[in-house]
Amino acid sequence: MNENPFETTNTFLRRAFDAIAIDRRYEILLCTPRREVRVELAIQMDDGSLGHFIGYRVQHDDSRGPYKGGLRYHPEVNIDEVRSLASLMTWKTAVVDIPFGGAKGGIQVDPAKLSVRELERLTRRFVDQIHDFVGPLIDIPAPDVNTNPTVMGWFFDQYTRHHGYSPGVVTGKPLGLHGSLGREAATGRGCLFAIREVLVADGRELAGTRFAIQGFGNVGSWFARLAHAEGGRIVAVSDVHGGVFDGEGLDVPRLVDHVHATGSVVGFARSTPIRNDELLAVDCDVLVPAALGHVIDGKTAANVHAKYVLEAANGPCTLDGADVLDRRGITCLPDIWANAGGVTVSYFEWTQNLQQMRWTEERVNAELERHIVAAHVAIRSAMARYKCSMRTAAFALAVERVKAATDLRGIG
Ligand code: NAD
């Protein structure tokens, strides 16, 4: 039976509640989303037929600032997954200490089956249906799986038609339309800073470290490029179509060119084909799930050959998967810290939009590094305080920060 992703997140959360011995009256408050919006999206398809889709926006907590979180277009989007992802955003923004709460949205659609014009109509219809619930000081969406700067540009434009010029309503926008330098690579770059800190703490370094990466979209491909540039060996990568392997390390710049030309990593020269399930068990130092959730369950976790799992994707481990990794002594860098680079630079983009100015890429990257490194120090200190895993420590740190804001604001 498939595990409910929202229950998984709440179980991780309850472990943090236990670690910090939080007063039980906070539990229901911190587990339950504040608002859930479900909308029907009817659009005219290019052939004149009616397209019918369901969209969601779940707003989990805004104690520390406006709701913040991505927008996913995928056929398997469902309310439990969106709830789970919204909750993860609350804890993620708290771990890296940026002034946002947590939200997530999605449309149940296979975007590969829609034309660009249909996708634009669908996005604009979604904005028409939810514009009263979002805004630069209310809830700020961003890209996630199968959404990108172009989609964010449509979102900004449609929102502006309803409410006037509002570049801060959405982040991850194109550079020519109020986007931030450094945003596109930010999640991958944040992942790199996170694993670098953990390797250094263990007396190791990035150079020579062997990585296997599942998913070669925004996060996976940027992580691969940046890790390769630091001397890391990318021994395997995959996407929805399949994967490629080279024990000596793939030539990542050439692989990126191949993906631009063909749309997939499959068929890359000087590599051996590998299946997605094989990639998870490949001999490497760091396994990087950078695609969808719940790919590492108890069974796959038992076969992981890596010493570290870097959660570039959101919720890549089931409860069982996470526990098996823990028992086997495999260090798991939890998503709410490891992939927080994207939302951190989204915060910088939002700040630039509100101030009507542009930061240099050097400033963006340096500030990003500062947030990821500071979070690592705080997580280590929570691990020592509560004698727990890195995941429970990250959740505990986040819960402490959200609880503090909740207390300061007062409950009703
Ligand atoms: P994306 O759409 O750019 O890329 C997704 C990649 O995963 C593609 O290469 C796709 O082919 C691959 N994929 C899809 N299904 C797969 C499967 N069954 N097996 C193997 N590969 C598969 O998405 P993204 O923005 O790179 O997001 C990837 C993950 O990172 C998601 O879990 C997302 O929530 C998380 N994340 C993204 C950001 C961001 O800034 N984009 C920030 C934080 C976390």
Side-chain angles (χ1 to χ4, degrees), residues 143-155:
D144 191 71
V145 175
N146 291 329
T147 58
N148 56 25
T150 304
V151 175
M152 298 304 118
W154 296 329
F155 196 110

Side-chain angles (χ1 to χ4, degrees), residues 212-216 220 236-238 276-277 279-280 287-292 295:
I213 307 171
Q214 185 190 55
F216 206 70
V237 300
S238 69
N276 256 301
D277 57 322
L279 181 137
L280 297 174
L287 176 63
V288 189
L292 299 176
V295 291

Side-chain angles (χ1 to χ4, degrees), residues 11-27:
T11 304
F12 289 143
L13 199 50
R14 284 193 197 97
R15 289 177 180 176
F17 292 162
D18 290 342
I20 66 177
I22 197 171
D23 185 329
R24 291 293 158 193
R25 73 198 178 97
Y26 288 96
E27 279 198 24

Side-chain angles (χ1 to χ4, degrees), residues 312-369:
N314 282 310
C317 292
T318 65
L319 205 50
D320 234 16
D323 288 346
V324 170
L325 293 178
D326 267 355
R327 278 202 295 278
R328 294 186 57 217
I330 296 169
T331 302
C332 197
L333 283 66
D335 48 7
I336 58 170
W337 170 52
N339 72 33
V343 73
T344 303
V345 175
S346 275
Y347 162 49
F348 303 154
E349 180 178 332
W350 177 76
T351 305
Q352 292 168 71
N353 292 154
L354 295 187
Q355 297 183 354
Q356 291 299 305
M357 60 182 289
R358 173 161 281 181
W359 295 7
T360 63
E361 189 164 357
E362 289 70 32
R363 178 172 177 195
V364 168
N365 293 344
E367 285 286 318
L368 168 61
E369 182 170 15

Side-chain angles (χ1 to χ4, degrees), residues 14 17 23 47 57 73 83 109 117 130 139 193 198 215 219 235 248 255 268 279 288-289 291 320 329 331 345 394 411:
R14 284 193 197 97
F17 292 162
D23 185 329
D47 65 3
R57 187 72 185 167
Y73 290 179
R83 280 180 185 141
V109 57
R117 287 293 141 245
I130 66 160
D139 181 358
F193 291 144
V198 169
V219 180
V235 296
E248 295 303 309
L255 176 62
F268 180 55
L279 181 137
V288 189
D320 234 16
T331 302
V345 175
I411 305 170

Side-chain angles (χ1 to χ4, degrees), residues 21-49:
I22 197 171
D23 185 329
R24 291 293 158 193
R25 73 198 178 97
Y26 288 96
E27 279 198 24
I28 195 157
L29 184 67
L30 299 181
C31 286
T32 316
R34 299 218 169 155
R35 177 152 59 191
E36 300 184 355
V37 182
R38 175 189 180 278
V39 290
E40 180 182 41
L41 305 167
I43 60 163
Q44 180 152 14
M45 305 301 277
D46 291 345
D47 65 3
S49 66

Side-chain angles (χ1 to χ4, degrees), residues 370-385:
R370 195 172 65 73
H371 279 266
I372 299 290
V373 171
H376 178 243
V377 172
I379 291 169
R380 290 275 174 195
S381 137
M383 284 170 80
R385 199 156 62 245

